Amino acid sequence: MNSTFRPDFLWGGATAANQFEGAWNEDGKGAAVPDLCTNGSLKNPKRITREIEPGVLYPSHEAAGFYHHYKEDIALLAEMGFKVFRLSIAWTRIFPTGMEETPNEAGLAFYDSVFDECRKYGIEPLVTISHYEMPYALVEQCNGWAGRECIGYFLRYCETVFERYQNKVKYWLTFNEINAGTMAMGNVISLGTVKGYTGRILDFPDDEQVRYQALHHQLVAGAKAVKLAHEKYPEFQMGNMICYLSKYPLTPNPDDMLQCQKEMQMTNWFCSDVQVRGKYPYYADRYFDEHGIRIQMEDGDKEALKDGCVDFYTFSYYMSTCVSVTQNAQIQGGNLTGGLKNPYLEESDWGWQIDPKGLRYTLNEIYARYQIPLMVVENGLGAYDKIEEDGTIKDTYRIDYLRGHIEQMREAVKDGVDLIGYTPWGCIDLVSASTGEMAKRYGLVFVDKYDDGTGTLERKRKASFYWYKKVIASNGGELL
Ligand code: BG6
């Protein structure tokens, strides 16, 4: 029986270029969708604009300043004993509009330095090729992923970074939370199907036909990238990445059960069924028929999906919600989309329900379905942090959250799940994807940066930093 984490377990943390790097237009970088997104909050949702509006704060522009602080940051991760660091490459650093024939050497050189710095400390980079940062020029050109030509542009980008970093990066993830494309929010953050739109991202007029066609293009592009990697770089390990939104039926009413099953299928399973099993799942047809969606497949698409199955499955897990057909249950906020309130769970300051046991349940569900190695590549508590008078940050709430989830990962490993790594989100404070805030902090390291754009970018170790260092040193044995 497996009783504990494997000896080579990949402990680490995760970030994404657009939320972390800043330097949004330095050294030839082009604008990506988040560079056109203003700051916001839960009450005052962020907006996307077509042009940079004067006097408006765009949090990605400076973000947490990793572009200029990477040496210091990676040294901090090494001090915690990180084995792996999940980060993304900004597509627009390499191809500023997404459409160039030749890459931007300055952008490529930056990631050379970052990966070299990781290697110096024996930290394995885990690279997300595209994390919510569509080149904005492609939005204008072809309505983002709605345009089939994006497949070719994306593959050129993949070929470039695979070839360049083949000796520095082994673990790759194609698209961050690709299943965002099954939700309205995905138009802005993931698919870039927002040509000509200015306004609150929550108000974007969703068109399911456009959205699922764009998602199809992403699925084909991701599969082709995996195939390319397998053929040319056999040592690469290629993973997918799903925003896993665990759902429970609110009651044992069979109607609630069925509704929950349906939502689980299209929200959580649809994309990974394609990416792991290599074809559209059986239940998709009915959904498409009932929603008037017609996916235009071109010759070779089915083969591409079949030939591009991933080697391992990764996902983000923050919370769970309930599902019911009755309308009188309380609505709860959440990651990408919310659900109904679970009376047994507490919630974060942003209304995300905290459910560590749901992680064990989820790991078992995923492993039962696919039987390939799993990695939890995002998890964590977005919370307000306070600097005490003595300069310390006592984030015991974050330690409690992480401990609870690691305990449940351990249970899942005992259950027999093949779990290979854990990279909690925003290991160094960064900009929130949903709200654009800095105040929603996930880090083990504090960054002196605030919602009004001020701050020195100084880094400070939080209490959770010292705690996580012990967790890693004991391979998850020491959680107190
Ligand atoms: C995931 C994304 O959905 O959740 C990250 O992959 C994001 O980019 C994270 O930051 C946490 O969400 P938020 O909205 O609190 O930043």
Side-chain angles (χ1 to χ4, degrees):
M1 183 178 88
N2 289 320
S3 57
T4 187
F5 297 107
R6 47 200 285 167
D8 57 353
F9 191 81
L10 292 167
W11 295 99
T15 60
N18 79 85
Q19 293 167 253
F20 194 37
E21 288 179 0
W24 76 288
N25 60 0
E26 287 183 38
D27 298 330
K29 182 182 173 297
V33 166
D35 298 323
L36 277 299
C37 288
T38 68
N39 66 341
S41 65
L42 257 190
K43 286 202 180 109
N44 184 20
K46 65 182 200 179
R47 290 182 303 122
I48 180 165
T49 62
R50 290 186 71 182
E51 311 279 343
I52 302 296
E53 294 177 356
V56 170
L57 183 65
Y58 291 85
S60 74
H61 291 193
E62 186 180 49
F66 176 72
Y67 192 76
H68 295 294
H69 288 251
Y70 70 92
K71 287 196 176 169
E72 178 188 353
D73 286 348
I74 294 168
L76 284 162
L77 306 181
E79 190 182 326
M80 277 187 276
F82 272 36
K83 314 283 183 221
V84 66
F85 175 34
R86 175 175 176 233
L87 72 166
S88 69
I89 296 177
W91 186 349
T92 50
R93 269 194 209 291
I94 313 300
F95 291 100
T97 67
M99 293 173 274
E100 290 80 0
E101 299 272 329
T102 47
N104 171 31
E105 176 54 34
L108 287 168
F110 170 65
Y111 294 105
D112 267 326
S113 310
V114 168
F115 299 143
D116 289 345
E117 203 64 18
C118 289
R119 291 259 166 241
K120 182 168 122 189
Y121 296 104
I123 297 173
E124 188 74 49
L126 165 63
V127 172
T128 318
I129 303 169
S130 178
H131 189 129
Y132 289 166
E133 49 204 334
M134 184 77 185
Y136 194 74
L138 286 176
V139 173
E140 297 282 12
Q141 171 75 15
C142 55
N143 197 20
W145 280 98
R148 194 175 165 96
E149 56 265 54
C150 282
I151 298 175
Y153 295 134
F154 180 74
L155 284 173
R156 183 183 300 157
Y157 164 49
C158 290
E159 277 161 17
T160 306
V161 294
F162 289 170
E163 187 62 21
R164 176 80 169 217
Y165 306 125
Q166 57 182 303
N167 299 318
K168 300 182 182 186
V169 178
K170 177 176 161 200
Y171 293 98
W172 300 87
L173 308 178
T174 46
F175 292 97
N176 180 63
E177 296 187 338
I178 190 168
N179 59 321
T182 68
M183 297 164 243
M185 177 87 157
N187 287 297
V188 183
I189 60 171
S190 160
L191 299 166
T193 41
V194 289
K195 183 173 176 169
Y197 180 72
T198 290
R200 294 173 9 145
I201 64 169
L202 294 179
D203 298 338
F204 181 77
D206 182 37
D207 178 337
E208 274 200 301
Q209 169 62 41
V210 174
R211 182 154 52 77
Y212 273 96
Q213 186 64 45
L215 179 58
H216 174 70
H217 296 151
Q218 272 194 341
L219 288 164
V220 171
K224 287 189 171 194
V226 170
K227 181 170 185 239
L228 170 75
H230 283 159
E231 283 174 356
K232 228 175 150 193
Y233 310 98
E235 66 290 359
F236 282 8
Q237 289 290 306
M238 302 301 296
N240 67 338
M241 199 307 200
I242 297 291
C243 176
Y244 201 97
L245 299 161
S246 277
K247 294 170 189 288
Y248 308 134
L250 185 66
T251 73
N253 176 345
D255 287 334
D256 283 357
M257 298 292 294
L258 276 169
Q259 182 65 23
C260 186
Q261 184 179 55
K262 263 200 213 161
E263 289 190 20
M264 286 293 294
Q265 285 173 337
M266 285 315 286
T267 310
N268 290 309
W269 297 123
F270 169 67
C271 290
S272 55
D273 280 353
V274 177
Q275 294 177 305
V276 180
R277 294 171 163 169
K279 58 178 186 186
Y280 272 47
Y282 71 91
Y283 49 81
D285 283 349
R286 180 168 183 177
Y287 183 88
F288 292 153
D289 281 351
E290 290 180 357
H291 290 245
I293 298 165
R294 269 213 130 67
I295 305 291
Q296 206 182 325
M297 294 238 183
E298 293 209 354
D299 283 354
D301 281 4
K302 285 192 175 153
E303 291 69 26
L305 297 177
K306 191 159 141 279
D307 294 344
C309 295
V310 293
D311 304 311
F312 65 111
Y313 173 109
T314 84
F315 66 109
S316 60
Y317 177 88
Y318 292 92
M319 49 169 282
S320 67
T321 55
C322 292
V323 173
S324 175
V325 291
T326 56
Q327 299 301 312
N328 56 4
Q330 190 185 317
I331 307 271
Q332 198 70 27
N335 188 8
L336 298 184
T337 173
L340 300 181
K341 188 171 173 56
N342 183 333
Y344 298 98
L345 300 180
E346 293 185 353
E347 64 189 54
S348 76
D349 289 338
W350 275 261
W352 295 18
Q353 298 185 122
I354 300 170
D355 183 12
K357 286 187 179 145
L359 179 54
R360 175 182 177 186
Y361 171 78
T362 296
L363 282 162
N364 273 280
E365 289 289 294
I366 300 168
Y367 194 60
R369 195 171 185 109
Y370 300 131
Q371 302 272 302
I372 59 174
L374 310 185
M375 207 188 290
V376 179
V377 294
E378 285 187 33
N379 171 240
L381 182 70
Y384 295 105
D385 287 336
K386 185 172 140 243
I387 304 184
E388 306 289 334
E389 274 175 16
D390 63 2
T392 59
I393 299 149
K394 300 192 169 67
D395 56 341
T396 47
Y397 36 90
R398 183 167 296 108
I399 294 173
D400 290 344
Y401 178 101
L402 295 172
R403 180 193 296 117
H405 286 78
I406 295 172
E407 278 168 358
Q408 294 304 317
M409 290 188 330
R410 190 158 59 191
E411 291 305 313
V413 170
K414 286 187 190 169
D415 293 335
V417 171
D418 184 10
L419 181 64
I420 60 172
Y422 179 59
T423 58
W425 178 245
C427 44
I428 299 177
D429 288 345
L430 39 62
V431 176
S432 158
S434 57
T435 66
E437 289 163 295
M438 268 311 290
K440 189 180 188 189
R441 295 176 184 274
Y442 287 87
L444 312 161
V445 173
F446 184 89
V447 175
D448 188 68
K449 181 77 195 286
Y450 304 95
D451 284 343
D452 60 1
T454 62
T456 61
L457 299 179
E458 187 198 344
R459 276 63 173 148
K460 271 181 192 299
R461 296 164 185 80
K462 303 183 192 177
S464 54
F465 177 100
Y466 301 102
W467 172 82
Y468 194 47
K469 185 176 174 174
K470 279 195 293 179
V471 172
I472 297 177
S474 61
N475 197 24
E478 172 60 77
L479 296 181
L480 292 176

PDB file of all heavy atoms in Angstrom, residues 249-265:
ATOM      1  N   PRO A 249     -24.151  17.282  -5.522  1.00  0.00           N
ATOM      2  CA  PRO A 249     -25.592  17.553  -5.549  1.00  0.00           C
ATOM      3  C   PRO A 249     -25.998  18.140  -4.196  1.00  0.00           C
ATOM      4  O   PRO A 249     -25.528  17.663  -3.159  1.00  0.00           O
ATOM      5  CB  PRO A 249     -26.227  16.176  -5.749  1.00  0.00           C
ATOM      6  CG  PRO A 249     -25.105  15.222  -5.973  1.00  0.00           C
ATOM      7  CD  PRO A 249     -23.832  15.859  -5.568  1.00  0.00           C
ATOM      8  N   LEU A 250     -26.824  19.184  -4.202  1.00  0.00           N
ATOM      9  CA  LEU A 250     -27.216  19.804  -2.926  1.00  0.00           C
ATOM     10  C   LEU A 250     -28.079  18.867  -2.095  1.00  0.00           C
ATOM     11  O   LEU A 250     -28.025  18.861  -0.876  1.00  0.00           O
ATOM     12  CB  LEU A 250     -27.962  21.119  -3.194  1.00  0.00           C
ATOM     13  CG  LEU A 250     -28.335  21.933  -1.969  1.00  0.00           C
ATOM     14  CD1 LEU A 250     -27.078  22.460  -1.264  1.00  0.00           C
ATOM     15  CD2 LEU A 250     -29.238  23.100  -2.338  1.00  0.00           C
ATOM     16  N   THR A 251     -28.869  18.042  -2.767  1.00  0.00           N
ATOM     17  CA  THR A 251     -29.737  17.091  -2.071  1.00  0.00           C
ATOM     18  C   THR A 251     -29.686  15.752  -2.805  1.00  0.00           C
ATOM     19  O   THR A 251     -29.220  15.697  -3.949  1.00  0.00           O
ATOM     20  CB  THR A 251     -31.218  17.554  -2.091  1.00  0.00           C
ATOM     21  OG1 THR A 251     -31.724  17.352  -3.434  1.00  0.00           O
ATOM     22  CG2 THR A 251     -31.362  19.010  -1.701  1.00  0.00           C
ATOM     23  N   PRO A 252     -30.206  14.678  -2.170  1.00  0.00           N
ATOM     24  CA  PRO A 252     -30.255  13.393  -2.897  1.00  0.00           C
ATOM     25  C   PRO A 252     -31.393  13.300  -3.909  1.00  0.00           C
ATOM     26  O   PRO A 252     -31.629  12.237  -4.489  1.00  0.00           O
ATOM     27  CB  PRO A 252     -30.426  12.363  -1.770  1.00  0.00           C
ATOM     28  CG  PRO A 252     -30.994  13.116  -0.628  1.00  0.00           C
ATOM     29  CD  PRO A 252     -30.602  14.551  -0.770  1.00  0.00           C
ATOM     30  N   ASN A 253     -32.091  14.399  -4.125  1.00  0.00           N
ATOM     31  CA  ASN A 253     -33.115  14.420  -5.159  1.00  0.00           C
ATOM     32  C   ASN A 253     -32.476  13.987  -6.495  1.00  0.00           C
ATOM     33  O   ASN A 253     -31.504  14.588  -6.936  1.00  0.00           O
ATOM     34  CB  ASN A 253     -33.645  15.862  -5.259  1.00  0.00           C
ATOM     35  CG  ASN A 253     -34.668  16.035  -6.371  1.00  0.00           C
ATOM     36  OD1 ASN A 253     -34.798  15.187  -7.253  1.00  0.00           O
ATOM     37  ND2 ASN A 253     -35.377  17.130  -6.315  1.00  0.00           N
ATOM     38  N   PRO A 254     -33.001  12.928  -7.124  1.00  0.00           N
ATOM     39  CA  PRO A 254     -32.390  12.461  -8.375  1.00  0.00           C
ATOM     40  C   PRO A 254     -32.228  13.561  -9.424  1.00  0.00           C
ATOM     41  O   PRO A 254     -31.301  13.520 -10.235  1.00  0.00           O
ATOM     42  CB  PRO A 254     -33.345  11.364  -8.862  1.00  0.00           C
ATOM     43  CG  PRO A 254     -33.975  10.856  -7.608  1.00  0.00           C
ATOM     44  CD  PRO A 254     -34.103  12.045  -6.695  1.00  0.00           C
ATOM     45  N   ASP A 255     -33.095  14.553  -9.382  1.00  0.00           N
ATOM     46  CA  ASP A 255     -32.941  15.655 -10.336  1.00  0.00           C
ATOM     47  C   ASP A 255     -31.672  16.449 -10.043  1.00  0.00           C
ATOM     48  O   ASP A 255     -30.983  16.914 -10.963  1.00  0.00           O
ATOM     49  CB  ASP A 255     -34.155  16.593 -10.286  1.00  0.00           C
ATOM     50  CG  ASP A 255     -35.375  15.946 -10.922  1.00  0.00           C
ATOM     51  OD1 ASP A 255     -35.186  15.074 -11.797  1.00  0.00           O
ATOM     52  OD2 ASP A 255     -36.504  16.290 -10.521  1.00  0.00           O
ATOM     53  N   ASP A 256     -31.371  16.598  -8.759  1.00  0.00           N
ATOM     54  CA  ASP A 256     -30.121  17.289  -8.402  1.00  0.00           C
ATOM     55  C   ASP A 256     -28.914  16.445  -8.816  1.00  0.00           C
ATOM     56  O   ASP A 256     -27.901  16.960  -9.294  1.00  0.00           O
ATOM     57  CB  ASP A 256     -30.046  17.548  -6.887  1.00  0.00           C
ATOM     58  CG  ASP A 256     -30.927  18.727  -6.471  1.00  0.00           C
ATOM     59  OD1 ASP A 256     -31.533  19.354  -7.364  1.00  0.00           O
ATOM     60  OD2 ASP A 256     -31.004  19.015  -5.259  1.00  0.00           O
ATOM     61  N   MET A 257     -29.038  15.131  -8.606  1.00  0.00           N
ATOM     62  CA  MET A 257     -27.936  14.235  -8.987  1.00  0.00           C
ATOM     63  C   MET A 257     -27.639  14.358 -10.487  1.00  0.00           C
ATOM     64  O   MET A 257     -26.490  14.488 -10.896  1.00  0.00           O
ATOM     65  CB  MET A 257     -28.292  12.769  -8.690  1.00  0.00           C
ATOM     66  CG  MET A 257     -28.545  12.437  -7.254  1.00  0.00           C
ATOM     67  SD  MET A 257     -27.058  12.555  -6.241  1.00  0.00           S
ATOM     68  CE  MET A 257     -26.065  11.234  -6.906  1.00  0.00           C
ATOM     69  N   LEU A 258     -28.709  14.301 -11.278  1.00  0.00           N
ATOM     70  CA  LEU A 258     -28.515  14.355 -12.728  1.00  0.00           C
ATOM     71  C   LEU A 258     -27.975  15.703 -13.183  1.00  0.00           C
ATOM     72  O   LEU A 258     -27.103  15.785 -14.041  1.00  0.00           O
ATOM     73  CB  LEU A 258     -29.840  14.055 -13.440  1.00  0.00           C
ATOM     74  CG  LEU A 258     -30.107  12.562 -13.606  1.00  0.00           C
ATOM     75  CD1 LEU A 258     -31.541  12.321 -14.070  1.00  0.00           C
ATOM     76  CD2 LEU A 258     -29.135  11.943 -14.609  1.00  0.00           C
ATOM     77  N   GLN A 259     -28.510  16.752 -12.574  1.00  0.00           N
ATOM     78  CA  GLN A 259     -28.033  18.092 -12.930  1.00  0.00           C
ATOM     79  C   GLN A 259     -26.548  18.226 -12.616  1.00  0.00           C
ATOM     80  O   GLN A 259     -25.763  18.770 -13.385  1.00  0.00           O
ATOM     81  CB  GLN A 259     -28.859  19.147 -12.163  1.00  0.00           C
ATOM     82  CG  GLN A 259     -28.490  20.579 -12.476  1.00  0.00           C
ATOM     83  CD  GLN A 259     -28.784  20.956 -13.929  1.00  0.00           C
ATOM     84  OE1 GLN A 259     -29.619  20.329 -14.592  1.00  0.00           O
ATOM     85  NE2 GLN A 259     -28.071  21.948 -14.430  1.00  0.00           N
ATOM     86  N   CYS A 260     -26.168  17.686 -11.455  1.00  0.00           N
ATOM     87  CA  CYS A 260     -24.773  17.756 -11.037  1.00  0.00           C
ATOM     88  C   CYS A 260     -23.900  16.960 -12.022  1.00  0.00           C
ATOM     89  O   CYS A 260     -22.843  17.428 -12.454  1.00  0.00           O
ATOM     90  CB  CYS A 260     -24.654  17.196  -9.621  1.00  0.00           C
ATOM     91  SG  CYS A 260     -23.009  17.401  -8.948  1.00  0.00           S
ATOM     92  N   GLN A 261     -24.365  15.786 -12.379  1.00  0.00           N
ATOM     93  CA  GLN A 261     -23.589  14.971 -13.320  1.00  0.00           C
ATOM     94  C   GLN A 261     -23.393  15.701 -14.644  1.00  0.00           C
ATOM     95  O   GLN A 261     -22.297  15.737 -15.198  1.00  0.00           O
ATOM     96  CB  GLN A 261     -24.304  13.639 -13.552  1.00  0.00           C
ATOM     97  CG  GLN A 261     -23.518  12.690 -14.430  1.00  0.00           C
ATOM     98  CD  GLN A 261     -24.247  11.374 -14.622  1.00  0.00           C
ATOM     99  OE1 GLN A 261     -25.398  11.347 -15.060  1.00  0.00           O
ATOM    100  NE2 GLN A 261     -23.594  10.284 -14.265  1.00  0.00           N
ATOM    101  N   LYS A 262     -24.471  16.324 -15.109  1.00  0.00           N
ATOM    102  CA  LYS A 262     -24.386  17.057 -16.378  1.00  0.00           C
ATOM    103  C   LYS A 262     -23.369  18.186 -16.289  1.00  0.00           C
ATOM    104  O   LYS A 262     -22.562  18.388 -17.178  1.00  0.00           O
ATOM    105  CB  LYS A 262     -25.752  17.686 -16.690  1.00  0.00           C
ATOM    106  CG  LYS A 262     -26.603  16.892 -17.610  1.00  0.00           C
ATOM    107  CD  LYS A 262     -27.643  17.826 -18.199  1.00  0.00           C
ATOM    108  CE  LYS A 262     -28.928  17.095 -18.452  1.00  0.00           C
ATOM    109  NZ  LYS A 262     -30.068  17.968 -18.592  1.00  0.00           N
ATOM    110  N   GLU A 263     -23.445  18.946 -15.188  1.00  0.00           N
ATOM    111  CA  GLU A 263     -22.521  20.079 -15.067  1.00  0.00           C
ATOM    112  C   GLU A 263     -21.081  19.599 -14.935  1.00  0.00           C
ATOM    113  O   GLU A 263     -20.168  20.197 -15.481  1.00  0.00           O
ATOM    114  CB  GLU A 263     -22.901  20.956 -13.864  1.00  0.00           C
ATOM    115  CG  GLU A 263     -24.185  21.715 -14.123  1.00  0.00           C
ATOM    116  CD  GLU A 263     -24.490  22.770 -13.078  1.00  0.00           C
ATOM    117  OE1 GLU A 263     -23.565  23.202 -12.358  1.00  0.00           O
ATOM    118  OE2 GLU A 263     -25.665  23.160 -12.966  1.00  0.00           O
ATOM    119  N   MET A 264     -20.900  18.499 -14.199  1.00  0.00           N
ATOM    120  CA  MET A 264     -19.547  17.939 -14.072  1.00  0.00           C
ATOM    121  C   MET A 264     -19.008  17.543 -15.445  1.00  0.00           C
ATOM    122  O   MET A 264     -17.840  17.754 -15.750  1.00  0.00           O
ATOM    123  CB  MET A 264     -19.548  16.714 -13.154  1.00  0.00           C
ATOM    124  CG  MET A 264     -19.692  17.031 -11.680  1.00  0.00           C
ATOM    125  SD  MET A 264     -18.267  17.916 -11.028  1.00  0.00           S
ATOM    126  CE  MET A 264     -16.997  16.682 -11.168  1.00  0.00           C
ATOM    127  N   GLN A 265     -19.871  16.967 -16.248  1.00  0.00           N
ATOM    128  CA  GLN A 265     -19.412  16.506 -17.564  1.00  0.00           C
ATOM    129  C   GLN A 265     -18.892  17.660 -18.402  1.00  0.00           C
ATOM    130  O   GLN A 265     -17.766  17.636 -18.884  1.00  0.00           O
ATOM    131  CB  GLN A 265     -20.555  15.796 -18.305  1.00  0.00           C
ATOM    132  CG  GLN A 265     -20.828  14.405 -17.771  1.00  0.00           C
ATOM    133  CD  GLN A 265     -22.058  13.762 -18.390  1.00  0.00           C
ATOM    134  OE1 GLN A 265     -22.948  14.446 -18.885  1.00  0.00           O
ATOM    135  NE2 GLN A 265     -22.119  12.449 -18.355  1.00  0.00           N
TER     136      GLN A 265
END
